[in-house]
Amino acid sequence: MCMGAFFKSHKDTPRDSDMFGSLVIVFPIPHEGGSLVLRHSDQEWTFDSAALTKKQTTPSIEYIAFYSDVDHEVTVVESGYRVTLTYNLHFGTEARSNLSAVSPVAPDERIFRETLTAALDNPSFLPTGGYLGFGMSFKYPFSGKSSGWARVDLGIKLKGSDALIYRVCGEASLETSLKANYEADDGLEVLVPLNNLLGDNLVENGVAMALCEDHDGLVVHEFGTPLPTFGYSRRPIPDEQVAHLAWVTPQTSYNNFASTYAAYGNEPTSETAYADLCIVVKVGPYGERATGLPGKSLRETLQERLDNLLERFESFKRTQGITLAENDNAPIASASGSSSPSASV
């Protein structure tokens, strides 16, 4: 960037569902201005590469990495040239055994872990059990039409505080999962697993009831509020279909999406229900807090991922005309085409 150049505030556009951030390397070329300003959740940070370059006694590059959904801008370059190299950061498809694992414990993680432990040890905290809800702090490449693969991947590709909450609660033997929080009829909110979202099925007796009966949904009952009832019929909701919940962090709209369904009243119509992603943690009663094994959510996620991989392989076989036939000795594969799947690293 030459003198007078700048970038207005913007978010980076993810190139695909595996992209999660950007890495910017600034070369040690003298310049003034051109600071990178980042904003997220009412906080602001400034990366002044010009000032950092001046402090170096020997030429050294400056670099910064940030998530794709963080607003950022580059202020006006006042003199010289700001020369940068930008990389898109993606989740890897393979484990790299030659890389050493470094897992520093951030202060926020230590505070959250200690606070959660103290709450679980307190007999007055959710004495009969219940649920904790956490609004998402970051945006993810997810929609109601995302493939099953993308939904499963999401559980192990969370960012920042979202990842911290998901990991710490799972390690505390609490059942931790991602849910879609639907805005249903008559003001009800319904939590639904990501593998059972509202689709093209027919809804006859209200969205909330359909989500509970056909999509493993739980109606949200916030502590301290009257018990909810189904729609305008005021039919009581069975307790097994209610999530008695306290929002620890507010629900956000970073990951709002729409689900289209067929409704039937006097005649069939196409309707839309809206939902937001959130993290939901199930807490048992005092003395029996554990609702899942440590890491259970991750193991379940990986199992679902394996199942999806097998489904994709079966689909690939069908599209490529591959057939597998077993004889007495070994399986034999044949293909009608020469195409082969590609993999990226």
Side-chain angles (χ1 to χ4, degrees):
M1 298 176 65
C2 60
M3 186 173 65
F6 64 94
F7 277 119
K8 292 183 178 180
S9 183
H10 66 284
K11 291 183 174 71
D12 289 339
T13 302
R15 298 295 184 264
D16 56 47
S17 61
D18 285 327
M19 180 178 167
F20 65 88
S22 299
L23 168 65
V24 179
I25 296 174
V26 185
F27 289 95
I29 298 175
H31 61 281
E32 296 288 341
S35 297
L36 179 64
V37 182
L38 304 102
R39 301 182 184 88
H40 184 73
S41 297
D42 298 324
Q43 298 184 68
E44 182 175 295
W45 303 265
T46 299
F47 175 68
D48 189 348
S49 56
L52 292 171
T53 299
K54 281 184 178 179
K55 293 179 181 179
Q56 303 300 330
T57 56
T58 57
S60 304
I61 63 169
E62 311 296 340
Y63 64 90
I64 183 172
F66 51 93
Y67 291 126
S68 302
D69 58 334
V70 171
D71 283 301
H72 55 283
E73 67 174 291
V74 178
T75 61
V76 176
V77 177
E78 298 172 2
S79 66
Y81 293 89
R82 179 182 182 269
V83 181
T84 63
L85 184 62
T86 301
Y87 290 91
N88 296 327
L89 302 179
H90 298 255
F91 288 102
T93 56
E94 298 178 1
R96 301 299 180 89
S97 58
N98 60 330
L99 296 180
S100 58
V102 179
S103 301
V105 178
D108 287 348
E109 177 173 339
R110 186 178 297 109
I111 293 171
F112 179 69
R113 192 184 300 275
E114 291 173 353
T115 302
L116 177 64
T117 300
L120 297 176
D121 290 340
N122 187 342
S124 62
F125 175 75
L126 300 182
T128 60
Y131 292 83
L132 301 176
F134 298 86
M136 309 297 281
S137 295
F138 294 91
K139 184 175 177 59
Y140 300 94
F142 177 89
S143 71
K145 296 181 180 179
S146 295
S147 66
W149 183 260
R151 295 172 191 170
V152 172
D153 268 0
L154 190 59
I156 53 178
K157 292 183 177 177
L158 297 179
K159 300 182 286 191
S161 56
D162 296 338
L164 184 155
I165 292 166
Y166 196 91
R167 180 177 65 255
V168 171
C169 291
E171 291 172 354
S173 300
L174 301 176
E175 182 183 311
T176 306
S177 60
L178 290 169
K179 303 284 189 185
N181 185 21
Y182 275 99
E183 302 171 22
D185 42 308
D186 203 20
L188 295 179
E189 294 183 352
V190 184
L191 300 171
V192 174
L194 298 193
N195 62 356
N196 202 2
L197 299 178
L198 189 64
D200 296 327
N201 40 325
L202 182 65
V203 174
E204 296 188 70
N205 297 311
V207 177
M209 190 179 298
L211 289 172
C212 290
E213 295 180 352
D214 302 326
H215 299 270
D216 302 320
L218 295 173
V219 176
V220 173
H221 169 231
E222 293 191 46
F223 289 103
T225 64
L227 282 170
T229 55
F230 273 131
Y232 300 104
S233 67
R234 301 302 178 189
R235 169 184 154 186
I237 303 174
D239 194 61
E240 62 270 18
Q241 293 180 345
V242 176
H244 304 286
L245 179 142
W247 288 106
V248 181
T249 58
Q251 177 73 73
T252 64
S253 58
Y254 291 131
N255 299 282
N256 185 269
F257 65 92
S259 294
T260 303
Y261 62 94
Y264 189 81
N266 295 327
E267 58 183 23
T269 58
S270 178
E271 301 289 347
T272 302
Y274 295 91
D276 295 291
L277 291 185
C278 61
I279 298 173
V280 177
V281 180
K282 185 177 182 181
V283 180
Y286 180 71
E288 300 177 2
R289 295 299 199 187
T291 52
L293 298 175
K296 174 183 176 183
S297 298
L298 178 60
R299 286 201 300 273
E300 289 182 339
T301 293
L302 292 177
Q303 181 60 54
E304 290 182 39
R305 187 168 183 172
L306 176 60
D307 292 341
N308 276 277
L309 179 60
L310 293 174
E311 289 179 12
R312 290 177 67 181
F313 177 62
E314 292 296 328
S315 175
F316 172 75
K317 285 195 303 179
R318 289 192 297 271
T319 57
Q320 298 298 315
I322 297 176
T323 59
L324 293 177
E326 286 194 13
N327 59 17
D328 294 336
N329 299 315
I332 302 172
S334 64
S336 60
S338 59
S339 300
S340 60
S342 60
S344 59
V345 178

